[in-house]
């Protein structure tokens, strides 16, 4: 499941302010919808990864992270919670007893604090195949990523995201 803010026009990438109850209900509703669809096709959900602005905001905001993780735990505590490597999402999910997986991004750049470079920044996306290969290799083999400042930061790569809507998604 990939719950996000109700922002279809911008693919869930617009930050929004919701109360804890509204966010909990939003995530729960989306989990129920995808669960029903999965059952119709004889599948079952394995993990939950917040999407877009919700993901980025929850990576830095313990209240948002906890609200999302509470909704996941209440829905099905066996689901794996996917969050930005080293972020508060991982810590919060683990503190609630959820299995948490550290995610890294093949096609995005990083800030020196481990957050993703905002999409509004001209260097937010990696568009070069060799740069993506170098970045992923460093993440997987050295547990590091080079921030756009040039410094290397620690990162744990349990799973790797390549954005499916990126111009080079198929090539990458």
């Amino acid at each position: 499941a990939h719950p996000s803010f109700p922002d279809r026009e911008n693919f869930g990438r617009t930050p929004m302010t919701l109360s804890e109850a509204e966010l909990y209900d939003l995530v729960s509703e989306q989990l129920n919808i995808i669960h029903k669809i999965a059952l119709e096709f004889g599948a079952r959900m394995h993990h939950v990864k917040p999407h877009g602005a919700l993901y980025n905001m929850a990576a830095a905001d313990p209240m948002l992270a906890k609200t999302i993780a509470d909704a996941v735990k209440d829905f099905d505590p066996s689901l794996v919670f996917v969050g930005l490597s080293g972020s508060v999402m991982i810590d919060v999910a683990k503190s609630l007893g959820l299995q948490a997986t550290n995610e890294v991004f093949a096609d995005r750049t990083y800030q020196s604090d481990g957050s993703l470079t905002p999409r509004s920044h001209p260097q937010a996306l990696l568009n070069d195949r060799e740069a993506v290969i170098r970045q992923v290799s460093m993440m997987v083999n050295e547990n590091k990523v080079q921030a756009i400042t040039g410094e290397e930061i620690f990162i744990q790569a349990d799973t790797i995201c390549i954005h499916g809507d990126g111009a080079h998604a198929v090539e990458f």
Side-chain angles (χ1 to χ4, degrees):
H2 207 28
S4 71
F5 286 129
D7 170 41
R8 290 178 189 238
E9 299 80 29
N10 297 300
F11 201 52
R13 292 183 174 140
T14 302
M16 295 183 172
T17 302
L18 301 176
S19 70
E20 289 179 47
E22 290 170 323
L23 179 58
Y24 182 94
D25 290 345
L26 178 72
V27 172
S28 296
E29 177 185 10
Q30 291 181 38
L31 291 174
N32 278 305
I33 290 169
I34 195 68
H35 174 69
K36 288 177 185 173
I37 293 169
L39 287 178
E40 287 178 25
F41 288 92
R44 75 170 205 73
M45 289 194 310
H46 176 266
H47 62 277
V48 177
K49 173 192 168 183
H51 172 72
L54 180 60
Y55 181 96
N56 290 323
M57 292 169 68
D61 185 326
M63 185 281 295
L64 285 175
K66 184 174 184 321
T67 302
I68 298 165
D70 281 338
V72 171
K73 183 177 181 180
D74 291 347
F75 180 79
D76 181 351
S78 73
L79 292 172
V80 176
F81 190 93
V82 178
L84 182 64
S85 179
S87 73
V88 297
M89 284 195 293
I90 299 297
D91 296 335
V92 167
K94 286 181 178 179
S95 76
L96 294 174
L98 292 170
Q99 180 183 337
T101 296
N102 287 278
E103 179 179 45
V104 297
F105 290 79
D107 55 357
R108 293 289 307 274
T109 61
Y110 285 78
Q111 299 291 294
S112 59
D113 65 357
S115 65
L116 297 175
T117 303
R119 284 183 176 265
S120 58
H121 191 284
Q123 296 174 342
L125 302 174
L126 293 177
N127 294 306
D128 177 71
R129 180 179 178 271
E130 294 305 316
V132 169
I133 291 170
R134 275 192 309 277
Q135 177 160 294
V136 170
S137 179
M138 182 182 229
M139 290 172 171
V140 171
N141 296 317
E142 301 175 40
N143 291 327
K144 295 179 190 174
V145 67
Q146 186 173 7
I148 63 169
T149 59
E151 69 185 282
E152 293 179 355
I153 56 173
F154 173 80
I155 202 156
Q156 183 174 332
D158 298 327
T159 186
I160 302 169
C161 176
I162 299 175
H163 286 91
D165 65 332
H168 306 286
V170 173
E171 176 187 359
F172 291 168

